[in-house]
Amino acid sequence: MKFSQFIPVALSFATSALAQSFCSSASHSGQSVKETGNKVGSIGGVGYEMWADSGNNSATFYSDGSFSCSFSNAKDYLCRSGLSFDSTQSHSQIGHMYADFKLVKQNIANVDYSYVGIYGWTRNPLVEFYIVDNWLSQYRPGDWVGNKKHGDFIIDGAQYTVFENTRFGPSIDGDTQFKQYFSIRQTPRDCGTIDISAHFAQWEKLGMTMGKMHEAKVLGEAGSNGAGTSGTADFPYAKVYI
């Protein structure tokens, strides 16, 4: 739930051939950088962030957008990679957004809550949003994520539960009040294409207003209410594109 500063990026495009092949044959490629502390950065035009509140953690980010997250004894840990924007355009002005991802989980322990999917922020209004396609915890994220449950909807060909929440706390604009939007997939998947704009459209039908885009990134987040979390969440394929 941490946030990044604006990093200008070149919007990337994927082909249908890539979309058909990455689930069966994906591997990291390009330049890489390994972070062992909290860091916001970019590599090859791709924005990234690693953040944890405790523990012995790292993340490796690649210029092709892929990344790998490793955490040990962390109360809350996240890493993400994708597109950053300058908060001047709405999603409809930017274009139709998609993400391709592949997740490989290893040695996961003591994870009480987790989100794997798409994460980002908008401004005017200030919104923190999640599209959750998988999780590292034993159980699917439940009603506790939001104080308003809109119900179940078919979005991008799958069933998602949509939640809305209002909270006061740290944001990309400091400690303030902001909205949170969640789409949580009914059944988790380790690989696939997320139609990000399809979720935006469904939220707006429900009166959940989106603002000017700040970021949209593939996210891996794990947290613990007790003992620190540990494990590896590897994303050998991760691309957010227009």
Side-chain angles (χ1 to χ4, degrees), residues 192-218:
T193 298
I194 300 173
D195 186 338
I196 300 172
S197 292
H199 289 265
F200 293 167
Q202 180 61 60
W203 294 345
E204 290 175 331
K205 287 179 184 177
L206 296 168
M208 300 162 63
T209 306
M210 301 288 290
K212 305 295 187 181
M213 292 297 302
H214 173 75
E215 67 176 322
K217 294 182 171 70
V218 176

Tab-separated table of all heavy atoms in Angstrom, residues 192-218:
chain	number	residue	atom	x	y	z
A	192	GLY	N	-2.128	-14.986	-16.811
A	192	GLY	CA	-3.201	-14.532	-17.673
A	192	GLY	C	-3.067	-13.075	-18.039
A	192	GLY	O	-2.096	-12.398	-17.694
A	193	THR	N	-4.073	-12.586	-18.764
A	193	THR	CA	-4.157	-11.189	-19.181
A	193	THR	C	-5.297	-10.521	-18.433
A	193	THR	O	-6.415	-11.037	-18.401
A	193	THR	CB	-4.386	-11.082	-20.694
A	193	THR	OG1	-3.270	-11.660	-21.379
A	193	THR	CG2	-4.540	-9.637	-21.128
A	194	ILE	N	-5.013	-9.393	-17.822
A	194	ILE	CA	-6.014	-8.612	-17.103
A	194	ILE	C	-6.400	-7.417	-17.958
A	194	ILE	O	-5.536	-6.623	-18.348
A	194	ILE	CB	-5.466	-8.138	-15.743
A	194	ILE	CG1	-5.079	-9.325	-14.869
A	194	ILE	CG2	-6.502	-7.270	-15.027
A	194	ILE	CD1	-4.371	-8.932	-13.581
A	195	ASP	N	-7.679	-7.282	-18.232
A	195	ASP	CA	-8.190	-6.111	-18.942
A	195	ASP	C	-8.436	-5.023	-17.892
A	195	ASP	O	-9.509	-4.930	-17.297
A	195	ASP	CB	-9.476	-6.475	-19.679
A	195	ASP	CG	-9.996	-5.354	-20.567
A	195	ASP	OD1	-9.628	-4.185	-20.319
A	195	ASP	OD2	-10.790	-5.641	-21.486
A	196	ILE	N	-7.434	-4.213	-17.645
A	196	ILE	CA	-7.506	-3.205	-16.584
A	196	ILE	C	-8.647	-2.226	-16.845
A	196	ILE	O	-9.425	-1.892	-15.940
A	196	ILE	CB	-6.168	-2.456	-16.472
A	196	ILE	CG1	-5.036	-3.436	-16.138
A	196	ILE	CG2	-6.245	-1.356	-15.424
A	196	ILE	CD1	-3.648	-2.808	-16.194
A	197	SER	N	-8.784	-1.781	-18.063
A	197	SER	CA	-9.808	-0.792	-18.393
A	197	SER	C	-11.220	-1.339	-18.216
A	197	SER	O	-12.152	-0.572	-17.947
A	197	SER	CB	-9.617	-0.283	-19.825
A	197	SER	OG	-8.414	0.478	-19.918
A	198	ALA	N	-11.390	-2.651	-18.345
A	198	ALA	CA	-12.706	-3.246	-18.115
A	198	ALA	C	-13.126	-3.082	-16.656
A	198	ALA	O	-14.304	-2.869	-16.350
A	198	ALA	CB	-12.704	-4.719	-18.505
A	199	HIS	N	-12.183	-3.168	-15.742
A	199	HIS	CA	-12.478	-2.937	-14.329
A	199	HIS	C	-12.794	-1.469	-14.081
A	199	HIS	O	-13.742	-1.153	-13.343
A	199	HIS	CB	-11.294	-3.389	-13.469
A	199	HIS	CG	-11.127	-4.870	-13.426
A	199	HIS	ND1	-11.652	-5.662	-12.433
A	199	HIS	CD2	-10.506	-5.720	-14.283
A	199	HIS	CE1	-11.361	-6.921	-12.659
A	199	HIS	NE2	-10.661	-6.990	-13.783
A	200	PHE	N	-12.025	-0.575	-14.689
A	200	PHE	CA	-12.308	0.847	-14.554
A	200	PHE	C	-13.738	1.150	-15.012
A	200	PHE	O	-14.463	1.912	-14.357
A	200	PHE	CB	-11.325	1.666	-15.387
A	200	PHE	CG	-9.893	1.623	-14.912
A	200	PHE	CD1	-8.873	2.098	-15.724
A	200	PHE	CD2	-9.561	1.126	-13.662
A	200	PHE	CE1	-7.548	2.088	-15.297
A	200	PHE	CE2	-8.227	1.098	-13.226
A	200	PHE	CZ	-7.233	1.584	-14.049
A	201	ALA	N	-14.126	0.565	-16.131
A	201	ALA	CA	-15.467	0.820	-16.674
A	201	ALA	C	-16.551	0.317	-15.729
A	201	ALA	O	-17.568	0.995	-15.515
A	201	ALA	CB	-15.600	0.162	-18.049
A	202	GLN	N	-16.350	-0.869	-15.144
A	202	GLN	CA	-17.341	-1.410	-14.208
A	202	GLN	C	-17.424	-0.547	-12.959
A	202	GLN	O	-18.519	-0.260	-12.457
A	202	GLN	CB	-16.984	-2.840	-13.831
A	202	GLN	CG	-17.960	-3.486	-12.849
A	202	GLN	CD	-19.372	-3.581	-13.411
A	202	GLN	OE1	-19.609	-4.208	-14.433
A	202	GLN	NE2	-20.318	-2.933	-12.745
A	203	TRP	N	-16.278	-0.126	-12.435
A	203	TRP	CA	-16.291	0.742	-11.254
A	203	TRP	C	-17.065	2.032	-11.533
A	203	TRP	O	-17.864	2.470	-10.708
A	203	TRP	CB	-14.855	1.076	-10.844
A	203	TRP	CG	-14.065	-0.101	-10.363
A	203	TRP	CD1	-14.554	-1.326	-9.982
A	203	TRP	CD2	-12.643	-0.183	-10.216
A	203	TRP	NE1	-13.518	-2.156	-9.610
A	203	TRP	CE2	-12.349	-1.494	-9.730
A	203	TRP	CE3	-11.598	0.706	-10.434
A	203	TRP	CZ2	-11.042	-1.903	-9.478
A	203	TRP	CZ3	-10.296	0.296	-10.178
A	203	TRP	CH2	-10.023	-0.998	-9.710
A	204	GLU	N	-16.833	2.620	-12.683
A	204	GLU	CA	-17.504	3.879	-12.997
A	204	GLU	C	-19.002	3.697	-13.157
A	204	GLU	O	-19.787	4.584	-12.809
A	204	GLU	CB	-16.868	4.497	-14.246
A	204	GLU	CG	-15.456	5.018	-13.963
A	204	GLU	CD	-14.722	5.527	-15.183
A	204	GLU	OE1	-14.991	5.035	-16.306
A	204	GLU	OE2	-13.858	6.396	-15.017
A	205	LYS	N	-19.435	2.533	-13.649
A	205	LYS	CA	-20.873	2.245	-13.708
A	205	LYS	C	-21.494	2.227	-12.317
A	205	LYS	O	-22.682	2.512	-12.151
A	205	LYS	CB	-21.110	0.892	-14.391
A	205	LYS	CG	-20.884	0.874	-15.884
A	205	LYS	CD	-21.127	-0.524	-16.435
A	205	LYS	CE	-20.822	-0.610	-17.908
A	205	LYS	NZ	-21.000	-2.002	-18.440
A	206	LEU	N	-20.692	1.870	-11.324
A	206	LEU	CA	-21.162	1.785	-9.945
A	206	LEU	C	-20.991	3.111	-9.195
A	206	LEU	O	-21.229	3.172	-7.988
A	206	LEU	CB	-20.393	0.686	-9.203
A	206	LEU	CG	-20.608	-0.734	-9.728
A	206	LEU	CD1	-19.587	-1.691	-9.120
A	206	LEU	CD2	-22.020	-1.209	-9.419
A	207	GLY	N	-20.586	4.159	-9.912
A	207	GLY	CA	-20.394	5.455	-9.287
A	207	GLY	C	-19.054	5.617	-8.605
A	207	GLY	O	-18.854	6.586	-7.857
A	208	MET	N	-18.123	4.706	-8.864
A	208	MET	CA	-16.781	4.760	-8.279
A	208	MET	C	-15.896	5.549	-9.248
A	208	MET	O	-15.306	5.009	-10.173
A	208	MET	CB	-16.255	3.348	-8.037
A	208	MET	CG	-17.127	2.544	-7.080
A	208	MET	SD	-16.861	0.738	-7.145
A	208	MET	CE	-15.160	0.598	-6.603
A	209	THR	N	-15.789	6.837	-9.020
A	209	THR	CA	-15.151	7.746	-9.962
A	209	THR	C	-13.639	7.570	-9.986
A	209	THR	O	-12.999	7.483	-8.939
A	209	THR	CB	-15.480	9.204	-9.600
A	209	THR	OG1	-16.902	9.351	-9.518
A	209	THR	CG2	-14.935	10.161	-10.639
A	210	MET	N	-13.081	7.534	-11.185
A	210	MET	CA	-11.633	7.489	-11.375
A	210	MET	C	-11.117	8.884	-11.695
A	210	MET	O	-11.821	9.692	-12.299
A	210	MET	CB	-11.272	6.543	-12.525
A	210	MET	CG	-11.737	5.116	-12.329
A	210	MET	SD	-10.799	4.242	-11.071
A	210	MET	CE	-9.209	4.071	-11.893
A	211	GLY	N	-9.871	9.169	-11.302
A	211	GLY	CA	-9.275	10.463	-11.586
A	211	GLY	C	-8.208	10.379	-12.658
A	211	GLY	O	-8.236	9.525	-13.548
A	212	LYS	N	-7.240	11.269	-12.568
A	212	LYS	CA	-6.115	11.298	-13.512
A	212	LYS	C	-5.096	10.245	-13.089
A	212	LYS	O	-4.721	10.144	-11.926
A	212	LYS	CB	-5.466	12.682	-13.522
A	212	LYS	CG	-6.433	13.832	-13.803
A	212	LYS	CD	-7.029	13.766	-15.192
A	212	LYS	CE	-7.839	15.029	-15.485
A	212	LYS	NZ	-8.468	14.995	-16.824
A	213	MET	N	-4.589	9.470	-14.054
A	213	MET	CA	-3.760	8.316	-13.751
A	213	MET	C	-2.376	8.708	-13.219
A	213	MET	O	-1.683	9.536	-13.808
A	213	MET	CB	-3.582	7.446	-14.981
A	213	MET	CG	-4.847	6.746	-15.451
A	213	MET	SD	-5.512	5.556	-14.244
A	213	MET	CE	-4.123	4.446	-14.055
A	214	HIS	N	-2.000	8.071	-12.102
A	214	HIS	CA	-0.664	8.219	-11.527
A	214	HIS	C	0.199	6.990	-11.803
A	214	HIS	O	1.387	7.111	-12.087
A	214	HIS	CB	-0.774	8.446	-10.025
A	214	HIS	CG	0.546	8.449	-9.306
A	214	HIS	ND1	1.423	9.507	-9.367
A	214	HIS	CD2	1.138	7.511	-8.514
A	214	HIS	CE1	2.500	9.235	-8.631
A	214	HIS	NE2	2.363	8.029	-8.115
A	215	GLU	N	-0.406	5.798	-11.714
A	215	GLU	CA	0.339	4.572	-12.005
A	215	GLU	C	-0.616	3.401	-12.185
A	215	GLU	O	-1.756	3.424	-11.727
A	215	GLU	CB	1.341	4.250	-10.890
A	215	GLU	CG	0.696	3.883	-9.575
A	215	GLU	CD	1.701	3.470	-8.504
A	215	GLU	OE1	2.698	2.789	-8.852
A	215	GLU	OE2	1.481	3.823	-7.338
A	216	ALA	N	-0.120	2.364	-12.852
A	216	ALA	CA	-0.781	1.065	-12.966
A	216	ALA	C	0.324	0.030	-13.079
A	216	ALA	O	1.064	0.011	-14.069
A	216	ALA	CB	-1.712	1.006	-14.178
A	217	LYS	N	0.455	-0.820	-12.058
A	217	LYS	CA	1.582	-1.740	-11.987
A	217	LYS	C	1.136	-3.133	-11.558
A	217	LYS	O	0.131	-3.281	-10.852
A	217	LYS	CB	2.642	-1.215	-11.001
A	217	LYS	CG	3.326	0.076	-11.448
A	217	LYS	CD	4.387	0.504	-10.454
A	217	LYS	CE	5.223	1.657	-10.992
A	217	LYS	NZ	4.452	2.908	-11.074
A	218	VAL	N	1.882	-4.144	-11.986
A	218	VAL	CA	1.706	-5.505	-11.479
A	218	VAL	C	2.273	-5.532	-10.065
A	218	VAL	O	3.403	-5.101	-9.824
A	218	VAL	CB	2.405	-6.536	-12.371
A	218	VAL	CG1	2.279	-7.935	-11.773
A	218	VAL	CG2	1.813	-6.517	-13.783
